[in-house]
Amino acid sequence: MLHNITYAVTTDNKSLWQTANTLYAHKQYDSAAVYYEKLLSGGVNNADIHYNLGNTYYRLNKVGGAILHYEKALHLDPHSKQVSDNLALAKGRVLNPLPEFPPIFFIRWWNGLVQSLSPDVWAWLSLLAFCAVLTVIYFARVRKEQFSHSGRWLSVSVVTLLVCGCMAFFTYDARQHSGKAVVMQAGISFFEGPQSNSKVLGTLPEGTVVQINQEEGNYYNVKLPNGREGWIAAQDLSKV
C-alpha cells in the first residue's frame, strides 16, 4: 500500500528524485522527506512527488503532513485509486476525528462533473465547438439553399461553445485552488471570530481537513467536516 513511485519525474531533477527514493527504500524517512521537499521547493509540483512524500510522512507518523500531501496528490490526480486509498489509511490515524457529513447530492454531482475531464480536454472541446460555430455560419451564408435549419444548428453550436468554455474555466480554477487546508498539529483552537481573544469553540485534531470560506487578517473562516463553521489561525493550517 505504501510503495513509492520510483520512475524519474524529470531529467533535470533525476538525481534528487532517485536519492529521495533510495533513502525511502532504506527506511531513512527523515532524510527522504528532506529531498522530496527540495524537489517541491525547486518548483516541481506533481502528484507523484506529493504521493511519495505523503508515504514518507505516514512512515514518520506525521499524520498532518501525510494527509496534506495525499490531498495535494489527489487534487492533481483526482482519479488515482492508489492515492485515495492511502489518504483513507492516513485519515484512519487521526486521533478523535470529527464526524464527516457528506455534501448534498448537487454538490457531489458538480464535483464529479468538474473532475470528470481535465481543463485541457474542455479547452479542446471548446475549440471544436468554436470551429462548429464558424462552419455553421459559413454554410448559412454561402450555401443557404442547401443548408436548412441553420438558425437551429447555430444555436446548438453556440450553446455547446459556452458550456465547454465555462467548464474549461471552472475545471482550471478548481485545479488551481482546491479551497481545502489541513490542520498540521494537534489541539489547535477553533474560534468564534477572527481574533485570538474570541470565544474558543473547541480544539481540532491533527490531520483534520477543512474547507476555507474566507480570509481575514491572520485567520481563516473554515467549514469543518461536521458542517460547523468558525475561525482558525492561518499559521495552524497548510493549504492544499
Side-chain angles (χ1 to χ4, degrees):
M1 186 69 73
L2 293 176
H3 297 302
N4 273 11
I5 296 169
T6 56
Y7 57 81
V9 176
T10 63
T11 304
D12 294 339
N13 298 282
K14 186 175 182 179
S15 177
L16 284 174
W17 176 247
Q18 290 181 339
T19 300
N21 289 332
T22 300
L23 290 167
Y24 181 90
H26 287 86
K27 300 183 179 180
Q28 298 179 39
Y29 301 124
D30 283 308
S31 299
V34 171
Y35 279 88
Y36 287 130
E37 292 283 8
K38 280 184 179 180
L39 280 166
L40 293 174
S41 63
V44 183
N45 183 40
N46 64 34
D48 296 339
I49 299 177
H50 287 295
Y51 172 78
N52 283 11
L53 187 53
N55 288 346
T56 306
Y57 282 133
Y58 183 90
R59 295 291 190 186
L60 291 169
N61 201 31
K62 295 182 178 181
V63 180
I67 291 176
L68 173 67
H69 288 284
Y70 285 144
E71 285 281 2
K72 288 188 175 186
L74 198 61
H75 181 63
L76 294 169
D77 186 6
H79 304 293
S80 173
K81 186 176 185 303
Q82 190 177 25
V83 177
S84 58
D85 286 347
N86 283 16
L87 176 59
L89 197 65
K91 285 185 174 181
R93 281 195 174 183
V94 176
L95 299 177
N96 302 315
L98 300 176
E100 293 191 24
F101 294 164
I104 60 177
F105 76 95
F106 177 78
I107 295 178
R108 292 199 303 271
W109 172 82
W110 174 254
N111 290 338
L113 179 62
V114 168
Q115 294 177 359
S116 62
L117 296 174
S118 70
D120 290 341
V121 173
W122 283 113
W124 277 108
L125 292 175
S126 299
L127 179 61
L128 291 175
F130 179 70
C131 292
V133 170
L134 295 181
T135 302
V136 171
I137 292 175
Y138 169 78
F139 279 106
R141 287 180 173 273
V142 178
R143 302 186 180 182
K144 185 180 299 184
E145 297 78 10
Q146 295 89 352
F147 191 63
S148 59
H149 307 297
S150 59
R152 182 184 304 172
W153 285 109
L154 181 60
S155 298
V156 171
S157 301
V158 170
V159 170
T160 302
L161 174 60
L162 291 174
V163 170
C164 291
C166 289
M167 289 306 301
F169 170 79
F170 287 133
T171 52
Y172 176 79
D173 186 66
R175 291 291 177 91
Q176 294 298 112
H177 311 96
S178 73
K180 291 182 179 179
V182 179
V183 174
M184 298 305 293
Q185 57 184 348
I188 71 159
S189 297
F190 182 59
F191 297 100
E192 188 176 45
Q195 299 90 21
S196 59
N197 59 355
S198 297
K199 180 182 177 181
V200 177
L201 301 177
T203 58
L204 302 177
E206 179 185 1
T208 302
V209 181
V210 301
Q211 191 73 31
I212 296 176
N213 295 327
Q214 68 178 94
E215 181 178 358
E216 185 174 323
N218 295 321
Y219 287 82
Y220 290 119
N221 179 267
V222 303
K223 185 176 182 179
L224 302 182
N226 60 10
R228 294 184 67 188
E229 294 189 6
W231 297 82
I232 300 177
Q235 64 186 16
D236 295 326
L237 296 174
S238 286
K239 288 184 177 181
V240 174

